[in-house]
Amino acid sequence: MSKRLSEQEEQRRLHMEQLRQAGIDPYPPRCTRTHTCAEALQLLEGVDGEETTSEVVHVAGRMMSKRVMGKAAFGHIQDGSGRLQFYASVDNLGEEEYHRFRKLFDLGDIIGVAGPLFRTRTGEPTVRAQSITMLAKSLHPLPEKWHGLKDVELRYRQRYVDLIVNEDVRQVFITRTRIVSALREFLDARGFLEVETPILQPIYGGAAARPFITYHNELEQQLYLRISFELYLKRLIVGGFDKVYEIGRDFRNEGISFKHNPEFTQLEFYQAYADYNDVMRLTEEMIAYVAQKVLGTLKIVYGEHEIDLTPPWRRRELRQALIEETGIDIEAYPDAESLYQAIRAIGGNVEPKATRGKLIDSLISNYLEPKLIQPTFLIDYPVEISPLAKRKPGSDTLAERFEGFIGGMEICNAFTELNDPDDQEQRFLEQGRAYDAGDEEAHRMDEDFLTALSYGMPPTGGFGMGIDRLTMLLTNRDSIREVILFPHLRPRPAP
RNA sequence: GAGCCGUUAGCUCAGCCGGCAGAGCACCUGCCUUUUAAGCAGGGUGUCGCGCGUUCGAAUCGCGCACGGCUCACCA
C-alpha cells in the first residue's frame, strides 16, 4: 500500500484513527435500524406543525450533506428508500458525541441516527438526533454535490459512485428491473414456462455472430458462450413444453457501439401451435403491457421523438418498404453482384464482396431502420438471411419472419419456426458453404438439433428481443452503456 | 479497424496565438444552536493522462502511446 493518498483521503484516515483511539469501531458488525428513510417520513404524515412524535426512530444511511452551525448542525442521510434530514446539537447529543460527529464524521460516511421526528420551521421532516453512530467510514470524498459525477469513464468504471450521487441513474436501473419483472408477469400469466438452457455450448447457433470461445479442461472440449438460446428452446418445444421463455445473457464477439455490448440481455420465447402473425400480436401486447406497467403510459418520449406504443403496430413488407425508401426491388436482383450494382447506383457505400443477404441487411440498417421511429414490424425476409425460419407458403424466396423497430432501433426478431428437418439440413448446408467462403457469422451445422427436429416439432412461433434496447427506449437513454450496470471497457491503464 | 474530439485539484470546469497553476463545490483553521447549493473570515491541497521532441522557457506547439467519447465501418 504505497499508493499516494490525496490530502482528503489522508484526512479521512486520520479521522478513522481518531475514532479508533476513542474506542469506536469504524466498521461495527451490527447496527440498529427500525425504519428506512421513507418509512420514517411516513410517520410524520398528517402530523401538523413542528410537533415532535414521541416515537424514537433508528435510521441509517450515507451522509450526503452536513451543515454545521457552531453548536448545532443539519445533515441528510440517504438509504435505498430516499433521503432524510437529521438535526444534531450539543443539547441533544452532549458535548463529546456532538464534537465527535462534528470533527470526525465526513460526507459519504455510513451512519446511524436515532431520535424522535419533528418538523423544522420550514416544514422539513427531521430526526432530532439523540445519538449518531458510525456504521462504515468512507475513505474517499464524494463527487461534487451539485454537478454530480459526469466523467463517463469514471461513471462506468465506478458505477457505485455514479449510483450514489446521480439519482437519475439509480432510477434507470430500477426501471430496468421493473421492465424485466413486467415481461415475466406478462408471459407467466399466459402460461409460459421460464427455463434455463446452457450458456456453454458445444456448437453455437441461433443467430449470426462471432462467438467467444472457451475450453473445459476435464471434458477436453472446446465450448462457446451462447450467441442465442434458440436451438435449445426449440428442443424443449419438441419435448412438449408448448410455451417456454428464457431471459438471460447472450455473448457476441463483435464491435461495441451505442447499441451493442459484447454481452447483452435477451428474451426469447417460443409458442407451439402459433405462427409469426400470432407472435406479432403477442409482441405489441407485451411491449404495451410493459410500458403501461412501468411508465404508466403508452406514449413515450425518445430523444426528439414522441412514440406511441398502442397496438396494433404498423406492418410493412420488407420488399415494399425497400422499394419505397430506396427504389430498389430486391426481387429484381437475385444475386449479390446485380444487387451490389443497384446499391452503388443509388450512391450506397457497400462492401463489394458482401453476400446478397448482407447487402439486403445493409439496405435495411442504412435506409429503413433510422426511419422506423413509430413501432413497425418489417415482415417477410429473404430466406437466405433467415436460416431458421419457415418459408412463406407460395414463395421460394421469402420466409415468415419479422423484425420489430422502435425509435430507429431493431428491438426484436421473430419467425414462424422452420420445423422441416430436411429443409433445415439444407439451410445448414448452405450456411456451411457461406462459412467456408469466409462468412464467419454463417450458421454452423448442428446435427443434434436436426435429430431433435426429426422427432417432430409442432408448428411454432418464436421471438427474440434485446432487453437492453427496450430499456433504452423506455428510459430515454441514447447509449446501451447507460442501461447496463457494468459495461465493458478496456482495462484501466497502469498508473 | 478509420476519422474527429477530449484527458488540468477529490468532483465540475476555466486557462491553450509559449512566460509565476486558476474558479466553484469538497477539504483544512477559526466564528456561528432551525439549516438545506447555510453563512462569515482565512488557507490551494496539483505527476496539467504518459513518453519523446522543439524552445532560453511547454498545461499550451509537434510526434508517439494509453484511456474515454462521438461518427463511420462491423454487428443477418
Side-chain angles (χ1 to χ4, degrees), chain A residues 28 57 145 160 220 241 245 263 370 408 449:
Chain A
V57 296
K145 64 183 172 189
Y160 44 91
E220 297 182 336
F241 290 136
Y245 76 97
E263 57 181 294
F449 174 67

Side-chain angles (χ1 to χ4, degrees), chain A residues 382-398:
Chain A
V383 156
E384 62 212 278
I385 54 173
S386 314
L388 301 164
K390 182 172 276 192
R391 264 174 237 277
K392 198 173 168 64
S395 170
D396 291 334
T397 56
L398 294 179

Side-chain angles (χ1 to χ4, degrees), chain A residues 418-427 429 450 453-454:
Chain A
L418 177 56
N419 62 347
D420 176 338
D422 293 338
D423 191 356
Q424 184 67 76
E425 182 173 19
Q426 289 308 310
R427 306 275 192 98
L429 290 171
L450 287 176
L453 274 194
S454 67

Side-chain angles (χ1 to χ4, degrees), chain A residues 286-304:
Chain A
M286 179 172 71
I287 303 295
Y289 174 86
V290 169
Q292 188 64 46
K293 180 92 187 188
V294 173
L295 304 178
T297 177
L298 297 182
K299 292 188 171 55
I300 63 170
V301 173
Y302 189 65
E304 59 195 16

Side-chain angles (χ1 to χ4, degrees), chain A residues 181-440:
Chain A
S181 297
L183 288 167
R184 286 204 163 95
E185 278 168 24
F186 180 89
L187 292 167
D188 292 346
R190 279 156 188 77
F192 281 84
L193 188 70
E194 182 172 7
V195 297
E196 295 175 277
T197 63
I199 290 173
L200 295 174
Q201 302 181 347
I203 300 173
Y204 60 96
R210 277 142 61 199
F212 287 92
I213 302 172
T214 186
Y215 186 78
H216 190 286
N217 294 333
E218 181 67 20
L219 295 178
E220 297 182 336
Q221 180 186 21
Q222 179 167 287
L223 291 166
Y224 303 92
L225 273 61
R226 66 181 175 193
I227 60 173
S228 90
F229 329 146
E230 174 152 359
L231 302 185
Y232 283 90
L233 291 175
K234 283 181 182 172
R235 285 170 167 93
L236 295 178
I237 295 289
V238 171
F241 290 136
D242 288 345
K243 292 179 172 181
V244 293
Y245 76 97
E246 179 164 6
I247 292 173
R249 212 66 63 83
D250 277 342
F251 305 86
R252 297 187 185 175
N253 210 337
E254 310 276 7
I256 293 175
S257 82
F258 76 94
K259 55 180 175 179
H260 295 90
N261 196 59
E263 57 181 294
F264 62 101
T265 302
Q266 184 91 344
L267 160 68
E268 289 191 26
F269 69 71
Y270 292 81
Q271 177 171 0
Y273 313 108
D275 66 15
Y276 79 147
N277 291 305
D278 301 313
V279 174
M280 263 181 262
R281 286 189 289 271
L282 201 56
T283 300
E284 59 199 6
E285 259 183 70
M286 179 172 71
I287 303 295
Y289 174 86
V290 169
Q292 188 64 46
K293 180 92 187 188
V294 173
L295 304 178
T297 177
L298 297 182
K299 292 188 171 55
I300 63 170
V301 173
Y302 189 65
E304 59 195 16
H305 305 292
E306 182 161 318
I307 296 173
D308 186 354
L309 299 172
T310 306
W313 297 353
R314 188 174 181 195
R315 275 92 167 139
R316 287 178 85 182
E317 283 180 18
L318 172 60
R319 176 189 170 195
Q320 207 54 43
L322 282 174
I323 292 172
E324 285 165 25
E325 301 294 345
T326 69
I328 294 175
D329 179 358
I330 53 176
E331 289 284 302
Y333 304 98
D335 58 87
E337 178 57 25
S338 63
L339 183 57
Y340 171 73
Q341 295 302 341
I343 295 173
R344 288 297 300 272
I346 62 164
N349 182 19
V350 279
E351 283 267 330
K353 56 182 191 297
T355 60
R356 181 168 180 272
K358 292 220 179 263
L359 291 172
I360 292 170
D361 190 58
S362 83
L363 281 175
I364 297 170
S365 45
N366 292 334
Y367 294 94
L368 289 182
E369 188 169 11
K371 294 186 176 177
L372 299 176
I373 305 301
Q374 297 303 319
T376 305
F377 293 124
L378 280 185
I379 64 175
D380 297 342
Y381 277 60
V383 156
E384 62 212 278
I385 54 173
S386 314
L388 301 164
K390 182 172 276 192
R391 264 174 237 277
K392 198 173 168 64
S395 170
D396 291 334
T397 56
L398 294 179
E400 289 202 344
R401 171 182 174 192
F402 74 83
E403 290 188 318
F405 295 83
I406 309 175
M409 270 193 300
E410 181 202 326
I411 295 297
C412 62
N413 178 24
F415 21 93
T416 303
E417 301 297 337
L418 177 56
N419 62 347
D420 176 338
D422 293 338
D423 191 356
Q424 184 67 76
E425 182 173 19
Q426 289 308 310
R427 306 275 192 98
F428 278 158
L429 290 171
E430 279 163 35
Q431 289 286 313
R433 284 190 284 277
Y435 185 89
D436 292 340
D439 182 356
E440 283 183 83

